[in-house]
Amino acid sequence: MLFYLLSICSFGGILMLRLMGKSRQFQSYLLVAAVLSLFAGMLQGNESPQIVWIRYAVMLFRLLFGLISPFAFLFFGLALVFNGVLLIKKEGWAKRYALLLAVGIFILLMDLLFLLNYFVFHHYLIWRFMRLMSYFIIYFGVVLILFFVATTFYGLIPVSLDKDFIIVLGAGLLPDGRISPLLEKRLDRAIRFFRHQTEHTQKRPCRMIVSGGQGVDEPFSEAYAMKRYLIAKGIPEELIIEEDKSVNTYQNLLYSKGIMDTYKEKYKCLFITNNFHTVRSSLYAHRVGLDTDGLGAWTPFYFLPYAFLREFIAVVFMQIKGHTLLLALVLVFGLWRIYL
C-alpha cells in the first residue's frame, strides 16, 4: 500500500508541476519514482499468477547474473575499448576519448583478476578485495541506471509551444570552421521546433540564441558558425542573437540568461542540446536561476556510450559531496559484511 501511495503522490507531483509550467527535469525524476514505486507495489503482497511469474523471473535473473556476470563484465569492457577506438578513428584523437578506453581497460583488468583468482590463485585477500569492489560496482551501476532512465524519461515529457527564446548550446567546430555533426543535430532540432511553434500558434516567432565562444583550435566563435548555418536554413537574421563569450555549458546558460533578461522581464525559454546532455544542462540551468525546458537532439549511435559515460561522470562530480558521503557508507557496509 505504501508503494502505491508513493506512486500516486509522484504522479500527482508531475501533474502539479505540469500545470505550473515548471522544469521538466523534476518531472522526469518524479516519473522515474512513480514507475518504480508502482512496480514495487505490484510485486509486494500480490499473489496473482502474473506477479508470481515476475518474482520467479527476478529470482532467475539473480541466479543467471551471478553465473554470467564475469563474462558480462568482460563483454562490457571489450565494448568500451572497441567504442573508444572507433571514436578516435571517426572523431580524431582527444584526451576525453581516452576516458572510455581507461574505464574499459580497468573493467578488463578487474575481470582478469577475478578469473585468475578463481582458476589459479585462490587467495582469500583477493576474494575480499573483489567482494568489496563489487559493492562499489553495484552502487555506480544503480546510479548509472537511474541516470539513464531519468534521461530517457526527460525526453518523453512534451514541451509546450509557448517559448519566447530558444537557446542552442554550442559544441566544437571542425578544424576548417564547419559545423560538427553533433552541433548540426542541435541546430536542426531548434529549426524544427521554431517552425513547429510558429505554424501551430501563429504567434510572433521566438528569438534564437546561439551560444558558444571561440576555442583555441577554432577559426571563429561557435555562435558565429551557428548563426551562418541558421541563416542558410532560412531563419531570419534579425531573430538570431549571438552569445560568443561562453566556454562551457554553465556559461552558455548564464550568459544567455543575461541576454534574455535585457529583452524581457518575464519570458519562457527552451534550451536545445543533444539527448544525452539534457539532464546535466537542466541542472546547470537550475543553478543559474533559469526556469527552462530542455529538448534533446538525436545523437549517432556510435557516440552514445562515450557521451552517456561522460555525462554520468560529470553529473556525479556536480553532486560530489552527496556521492562521497554515500560511498563512505558503502565502504563501511562492505567492510562490515566482509569482516564481521
Side-chain angles (χ1 to χ4, degrees), residues 255-274:
Y255 297 163
S256 296
K257 181 180 185 298
I259 291 174
M260 292 184 293
D261 288 343
T262 62
Y263 275 86
K264 297 184 68 174
E265 181 178 353
K266 292 184 179 181
Y267 53 83
K268 293 186 177 181
C269 62
L270 171 76
F271 70 82
I272 293 183
T273 183
N274 292 93

Side-chain angles (χ1 to χ4, degrees), residues 34-330:
V35 172
L36 292 178
S37 299
L38 181 62
F39 184 72
M42 292 172 60
L43 291 180
Q44 187 181 48
N46 193 326
E47 300 300 330
S48 64
Q50 296 85 354
I51 300 302
V52 171
W53 276 110
I54 292 178
R55 290 177 182 161
Y56 285 142
V58 171
M59 293 172 59
L60 179 62
F61 173 79
R62 292 178 61 184
L63 176 62
L64 292 176
F65 181 79
L67 294 174
I68 69 173
S69 58
F71 305 100
F73 279 112
L74 176 63
F75 173 79
F76 184 57
L78 289 172
L80 290 180
V81 171
F82 174 79
N83 187 248
V85 173
L86 181 63
L87 271 173
I88 292 173
K89 287 183 177 180
K90 286 182 173 290
E91 303 286 335
W93 171 258
K95 291 182 180 180
R96 59 184 183 273
Y97 298 149
L99 173 67
L100 205 63
L101 287 172
V103 174
I105 291 172
F106 174 77
I107 292 174
L108 291 177
L109 290 175
M110 291 297 296
D111 200 67
L112 178 62
L113 179 62
F114 173 84
L115 294 174
L116 286 175
N117 197 55
Y118 186 84
F119 291 107
V120 180
F121 302 135
H122 308 291
H123 200 286
Y124 75 96
L125 287 179
I126 297 180
W127 284 129
R128 288 182 176 179
F129 172 73
M130 296 298 296
R131 186 177 177 187
L132 181 62
M133 289 300 298
S134 69
Y135 290 113
F136 290 101
I137 292 172
I138 291 172
Y139 172 81
F140 281 111
V142 170
V143 176
L144 178 61
I145 291 172
L146 291 176
F147 172 73
F148 176 78
V149 172
T151 301
T152 302
F153 278 130
Y154 190 95
L156 296 177
I157 300 173
V159 177
S160 56
L161 302 176
D162 58 355
K163 308 307 178 190
D164 300 298
F165 298 93
I166 299 174
I167 308 168
V168 186
L169 304 185
L173 303 177
L174 298 178
D176 59 359
R178 290 183 295 116
I179 296 293
S180 65
L182 285 178
L183 185 52
E184 183 178 358
K185 298 298 181 184
R186 299 182 186 185
L187 292 166
D188 289 343
R189 189 71 183 90
I191 292 170
R192 289 199 301 273
F193 183 87
F194 173 88
R195 291 174 175 167
H196 184 65
Q197 174 173 291
T198 304
E199 292 170 0
H200 283 73
T201 62
Q202 300 299 317
K203 62 180 292 187
R204 183 181 182 276
C206 58
R207 298 180 183 274
M208 301 183 71
I209 300 176
V210 287
S211 178
Q214 181 179 356
V216 294
D217 57 344
E218 295 173 332
F220 35 74
S221 71
E222 295 166 10
Y224 175 73
M226 294 158 72
K227 182 176 181 179
R228 288 196 314 179
Y229 183 89
L230 292 175
I231 293 173
K233 292 291 184 176
I235 303 299
E237 183 176 358
E238 63 271 15
L239 296 178
I240 304 172
I241 306 170
E242 290 185 61
E243 185 288 292
D244 57 2
K245 304 300 181 185
S246 57
V247 297
N248 53 43
T249 303
Y250 178 83
Q251 292 182 2
N252 285 154
L253 295 163
L254 179 64
Y255 297 163
S256 296
K257 181 180 185 298
I259 291 174
M260 292 184 293
D261 288 343
T262 62
Y263 275 86
K264 297 184 68 174
E265 181 178 353
K266 292 184 179 181
Y267 53 83
K268 293 186 177 181
C269 62
L270 171 76
F271 70 82
I272 293 183
T273 183
N274 292 93
N275 48 17
F276 62 84
H277 192 226
T278 52
V279 170
R280 182 158 67 101
S281 299
S282 67
L283 292 174
Y284 280 131
H286 181 70
R287 285 190 176 185
V288 304
L290 194 59
D291 187 11
T292 179
D293 286 330
L295 201 57
W298 180 81
T299 305
F301 181 75
Y302 75 86
F303 197 81
L304 280 177
Y306 158 74
F308 269 108
L309 182 62
R310 185 192 68 179
E311 289 300 305
F312 170 69
I313 293 173
V315 169
V316 168
F317 275 98
M318 286 181 67
Q319 305 164 334
I320 191 64
K321 292 183 179 179
H323 285 290
T324 300
L325 176 61
L326 291 174
L327 286 172
L329 294 176
V330 170

